[in-house]
Amino acid sequence: MTSDLPDPVELGAVVVGVDASPQARTAALWAAAEAGHRGQPLNIVHAADIEGRSVLTPTETLRALREAGNELLDGTAAAVRAAHPGLTVTKELSNRDAVSSLHAAAGDRGTIVVGSRGLGGFASLTLGSVGLGVASRTEVPVTVVRGETDRPATGVVTAAVRGRSDLDWVLIAAAEAEARQASLRLLSVSNVLTHVGRFTTMLDSIGEITEEKAHETAAVAEAVRKRYPGLTVTHDVETGTSVPGILVEATALTDLLVMGARRRMLGSGAALGRVPHALLHHGHCPVQIIPPGYTATPAS
């Protein structure tokens, strides 16, 4: 590690997408708490998708959609203000589709929050189409709210670390932990099957690979401690045959799991890899995805 590493970062405003589903209401309340931790405002967005509807859609139908959307926003904002009376809350009814609406509302510094499923204003779309669409195409952090709403807090934020190059986004996880007055766990996974077929796998080779991962994770932890001297940072490496499986298990023991995404190109455009895909579908806690190349604003 060099001495010119990034400074501590400032977490931006929070944007939450809502529809008529219970999961959206849960996401809105989680997003409100997140905004409170950050000392930032919350923007509640409902996508009516008026632009995507046929020109033959009756005017009365469009008016009804807008009225229903405004009622939904008013109800969600009221619930948020009741739970978080000191929070600055704004509302936005968008005529665009859900993914475009959230990206536009977040700008280049906000964090997007969505529920694990959606309906109503998101046109009955599930996580596969909205949550994954937002996460795979976004340029800002995206959190998908998962897990039991009444689960006791663990006081831990976990970052799924691959190596030294992850430091930029790990500092965002550190800021999340500091904002919650929680500890930060850096978790790296050594996948034995990754190396099968490349060379004759021996126990000592596996040990060397795990040791190298442990060394890199420790170096990232040390760099984080220098930027956040008051933060408790732990680090460890787990060895197994399934990276998604180990990380999904880890979500049962943390309040938020943060990971950097590596996009892959498919015929229809960018897509998330199998690890974040598995976490967004099966995680036991909210999962935050940091897009490639994202750099948060340095703390003032």
Side-chain angles (χ1 to χ4, degrees):
M1 293 289 176
T2 61
S3 59
D4 57 348
L5 293 172
D7 293 326
V9 299
E10 179 179 350
L11 299 172
V14 180
V15 175
V16 61
V18 298
D19 56 21
S21 68
Q23 291 86 352
R25 177 60 64 91
T26 297
L29 292 172
W30 187 92
E34 173 74 3
H37 291 317
R38 298 180 176 199
Q40 294 281 5
L42 173 68
N43 185 15
I44 306 172
V45 177
H46 174 73
D49 197 18
I50 301 298
E51 293 179 359
R53 299 180 185 275
S54 168
V55 293
L56 300 179
T57 302
T59 302
E60 294 79 6
T61 300
L62 299 179
R63 184 183 300 113
L65 287 171
R66 292 191 180 94
E67 290 177 355
N70 281 318
E71 289 179 3
L72 174 64
L73 287 170
D74 289 342
T76 305
V80 164
R81 291 188 176 109
H84 303 273
L87 186 67
T88 299
V89 180
T90 59
K91 303 172 293 182
E92 179 180 342
L93 179 66
S94 173
N95 289 331
R96 303 168 70 181
D97 66 274
V99 175
S100 299
S101 298
L102 292 172
H103 286 161
D108 60 357
R109 285 288 171 249
T111 293
I112 298 172
V113 177
V114 295
S116 57
R117 290 190 179 275
L119 46 82
F122 287 115
S124 299
L125 299 179
T126 66
L127 171 63
S129 51
V130 173
L132 289 178
V134 171
S136 63
R137 289 158 37 194
T138 189
E139 299 300 326
V140 297
V142 172
T143 302
V144 175
V145 178
R146 298 194 50 82
E148 299 296 328
T149 57
D150 57 351
R151 190 183 73 167
T154 65
V156 178
V157 171
T158 298
V161 178
R162 299 183 187 92
R164 297 171 188 262
S165 61
D166 288 338
L167 179 61
D168 283 350
W169 69 257
V170 169
L171 289 177
I172 298 173
E176 290 279 12
E178 184 178 65
R180 288 171 167 76
Q181 297 183 338
S183 63
L184 176 65
R185 179 194 184 194
L186 305 186
L187 173 60
S188 183
V189 180
S190 181
N191 185 359
V192 176
L193 296 183
T194 300
H195 309 282
V196 173
R198 296 186 183 180
F199 53 82
T200 302
T201 306
M202 303 294 290
L203 289 178
D204 57 347
S205 299
I206 295 172
E208 290 172 2
I209 294 166
T210 302
E211 184 178 349
E212 177 59 24
K213 273 190 168 289
H215 180 72
E216 292 203 8
T217 306
V220 174
E222 182 59 26
V224 172
R225 292 187 187 102
K226 290 179 179 178
R227 271 59 187 172
Y228 292 87
L231 183 65
T232 298
V233 183
T234 63
H235 59 89
D236 57 283
V237 178
E238 293 195 15
T239 301
T241 58
S242 171
V243 174
I246 291 174
L247 293 180
V248 167
E249 287 183 4
T251 61
L253 304 172
T254 189
D255 296 329
L256 175 68
L257 187 136
V258 185
M259 74 175 305
R262 291 180 179 176
R263 291 175 180 148
R264 54 195 177 94
M265 298 305 297
L266 299 178
S268 57
L272 292 174
R274 67 185 184 90
V275 176
H277 192 279
L279 286 166
L280 294 182
H281 279 89
H282 304 294
H284 301 291
C285 75
V287 176
Q288 184 175 110
I289 304 296
I290 311 296
Y294 178 78
T295 301
T297 302
S300 56

